[in-house]
Amino acid sequence: MRLCSLDPRRTVMGLLQQHRGEVGRFYAARHEAGRPVAMGAWCVATTDDHVAAVVSDLCGGVPKPSASEAGAVTEVLTSSDRVMVLLEEASVAFRMVATGAEESLHACDGARFLEPAAMRGTACGCPPGLSDRRAAALAGRGPSPEVRLGFRLAGCPGLGVFSLVSTSWELAEELPELADALRRAGAPLLCALVYERVDFVTRSGVPVSYRRPRVEIGGPSVLSPARMCLAV
């Protein structure tokens, strides 16, 4: 059991307004021999050993040193495919992106360009509906979604802000409902960040399964100071 360094007089909203720097990143696939390999639980990467230790306490798994393009990191392959987090409206972002070998060739909000800088604010030409955008992307004629979530672990919000970047079309489709709930709440909401398994059978009778991220809105908001301080 690990205690978080958190003053119980501070609110969760106050915590979310401080330390905007990212302390770790959640992801759901690793690269082995140059190929992406999906996992059955969340993996967390951080450059802070204390953060890795608390994540291990909360979500299971053993911190292990690893290497990335940005340098040495510590990874925690957790035993959890569901993690309780605190989300606020300002920490949810969405854009459509098509990338080249080294940089974004097209980045938009679905209606207007965000990148390249010279075209920012002009019409991007993407279809208005997400299903039509998906069809265009699958045909190689359009960008794909990029959803960015910033959140704190509900078990220890004082630890800092974590992030998740996803290209899931399903998550992108669900994002307006999530954003609306966060906007109406006006305060951080307690949510479950789920790495959901989806099973289905194709028309030809072939069973298929895959995993994708999903956010479940778990209830009104702010945890009591007593519950915030302890990371189990």
Side-chain angles (χ1 to χ4, degrees):
M1 187 164 62
R2 187 178 301 269
L3 291 174
C4 296
S5 300
L6 180 64
D7 184 342
R9 295 170 295 179
R10 293 159 62 188
T11 65
V12 173
M13 178 63 82
L15 287 167
L16 286 167
Q17 292 171 343
Q18 298 178 7
H19 305 297
R20 291 291 182 177
E22 179 183 308
V23 299
R25 174 167 292 189
F26 275 61
Y27 58 96
R30 305 177 70 184
H31 280 80
E32 297 181 2
R35 302 179 63 182
V37 177
M39 299 176 291
W42 288 115
C43 190
V44 182
T46 179
T47 58
D48 189 317
D49 290 342
H50 173 68
V51 170
V54 175
V55 168
S56 176
D57 286 347
L58 285 169
C59 306
V62 178
K64 294 182 179 180
S66 183
S68 72
E69 295 180 357
V73 298
T74 299
E75 285 186 332
V76 183
L77 177 54
T78 75
S79 57
S80 304
D81 61 3
R82 174 185 294 263
V83 177
M84 300 308 297
V85 301
L86 292 167
L87 269 173
E88 63 171 345
E89 182 185 2
S91 297
V92 177
F94 167 80
R95 64 179 189 166
M96 301 291 294
V97 181
T99 58
E102 298 181 355
E103 59 183 11
S104 297
L105 298 176
H106 173 129
C108 69
D109 62 4
R112 298 187 179 278
F113 276 106
L114 302 173
E115 296 177 19
M119 300 183 68
R120 184 177 179 87
T122 62
C124 62
C126 289
L130 200 62
S131 59
D132 290 333
R133 294 180 202 168
R134 184 172 188 171
L138 291 175
R141 299 192 307 270
S144 298
E146 181 184 273
V147 177
R148 291 178 175 266
L149 303 177
F151 51 88
R152 291 179 182 265
L153 301 180
C156 192
L159 192 60
V161 177
F162 292 80
S163 70
L164 170 70
V165 179
S166 172
T167 58
S168 165
W169 286 96
E170 293 93 339
L171 183 59
E173 184 176 5
E174 295 161 356
L175 202 61
E177 180 181 353
L178 173 62
D180 182 62
L182 294 172
R183 183 166 47 251
R184 287 186 285 105
L189 282 181
L190 180 63
C191 301
L193 183 62
V194 184
Y195 189 31
E196 180 181 56
R197 175 168 171 156
V198 179
D199 297 284
F200 66 96
V201 178
T202 66
R203 293 180 179 178
S204 57
V206 178
V208 175
S209 67
Y210 68 96
R211 287 184 178 267
R212 61 95 166 189
R214 182 166 59 88
V215 177
E216 293 180 356
I217 299 173
S221 77
V222 184
L223 301 180
S224 69
R227 292 182 62 194
M228 286 193 300
C229 293
L230 190 63
V232 182

